[in-house]
Structures are given as structure tokens and as C-alpha cells.
Amino acid sequence: SHCCSSSSSSSCKSLSTSKKHHCPGCNTPCPPVSETTILHHIKQAWHWQDKDQAYYFCATPGCDVIYFGQDNSRVTQSELRTEVGVKTQSEQSVICYCFGLTYGDIKTYPDIKDFVINKTKDHSCACETRNSSGKCCLKDFPKS
């Protein structure tokens, strides 16, 4: 009974988002994402209605679903202010939202990953709000 009193509903919510959920668009198991992340990426944040449920992020290329709820409600690319680079992975697609680095930049500047690693270590990132996944971009860098 360490949770679920009315004063700790946010901690209950975070506990309920620890498992992956299958995307209603492509059926891929997807990780949880915070409502804060979603609010920073949708075009009309003031219209967002939190349904007091867990939300998830789909990174599968070709799937139009970006965010979805446990009830399978969807947020698609057309509803976002930013392109989700991990979905397209073109030369112009952003991979590191904190510093505006693209997949093309990675090819042109091989040491760019070291820069991102160093900035992550010194806490100069804002991944939860800037990256559409709400997570650090380093896992999305192409394997060398």
C-alpha cells in the first residue's frame, strides 16, 4: 500500500506505465511515454484531454501512429508540430532533438555521437520534452 492514495495518483500512473503495449497501427510492442512529452509535440496542446491512462510511443517506420493510449486512442504524425525522425531516418530527419542533429550530420561528422554522449553525461539534454520518444536519442544512432 505504498501507492494509490489520492495524493499520489501521479506515482500510480507512472507505475502503471512500466510495461510495453501493442501499437493499434502496427501491433509492435511499444514503450511508455509521459504525457509531458506528448504535450510538447502535439500542435494543439490546449485541446489535449488526458484520459488518466498510460500512453506509449511507436517508433516503427511506416506506421502513422506516433502516440497511443491504453484505450488505443491514437495521435498521428499530422497532429504533431515536429517530424519524428526515427520513423523516416532520411538524411534531413532529426535524430538528436536537443542539438538539432540529423542522420546526415551523423554521416558527415563521425565524432558527433561522442559530442552527444558528453552532453548527456553533463546533463545538458532535455530529452523528455525535446525528443518525441521522451527518451535519449543515443539508442537511435545507427550502429557503426
Side-chain angles (χ1 to χ4, degrees):
S1 135
H2 62 284
C3 180
C4 296
S5 66
S6 59
S7 63
S8 66
S9 63
S10 63
S11 59
C12 291
K13 198 179 211 179
S14 64
L15 288 176
S16 70
T17 61
S18 60
K19 293 186 175 149
K20 291 188 175 190
H21 197 72
H22 288 268
C23 173
C26 65
N27 204 35
T28 302
C30 298
V33 66
S34 76
E35 183 184 359
T36 300
T37 300
I38 297 171
L39 286 170
H40 279 271
H41 289 275
I42 58 177
K43 286 180 184 170
Q44 297 182 335
W46 60 94
H47 287 303
W48 176 258
Q49 293 182 344
D50 179 22
K51 298 175 184 169
D52 198 27
Q53 65 179 337
Y55 293 97
Y56 302 87
F57 172 76
C58 178
T60 306
C63 179
D64 194 42
V65 175
I66 309 296
Y67 303 116
F68 61 95
Q70 281 178 309
D71 65 355
N72 289 332
S73 57
R74 306 168 184 213
V75 175
T76 61
Q77 179 62 63
S78 65
E79 297 171 82
L80 299 187
R81 295 183 293 115
T82 49
E83 178 194 58
V84 179
V86 73
K87 292 260 204 189
T88 56
Q89 297 182 13
S90 71
E91 295 263 326
Q92 298 78 32
S93 298
V94 174
I95 187 170
C96 175
Y97 293 84
C98 292
F99 302 105
L101 307 174
T102 65
Y103 282 87
D105 292 332
I106 294 169
K107 287 182 183 173
T108 306
Y109 307 103
D111 58 345
I112 215 162
K113 187 173 183 178
D114 293 333
F115 168 78
V116 176
I117 289 169
N118 288 332
K119 292 296 146 197
T120 301
K121 284 180 182 173
D122 71 16
H123 305 288
S124 297
C125 295
C127 305
E128 184 184 2
T129 54
R130 291 191 176 224
N131 192 334
S132 49
S133 73
K135 308 238 182 315
C136 179
C137 66
L138 287 169
K139 68 173 180 44
D140 299 325
F141 272 65
K143 307 292 182 251
S144 40

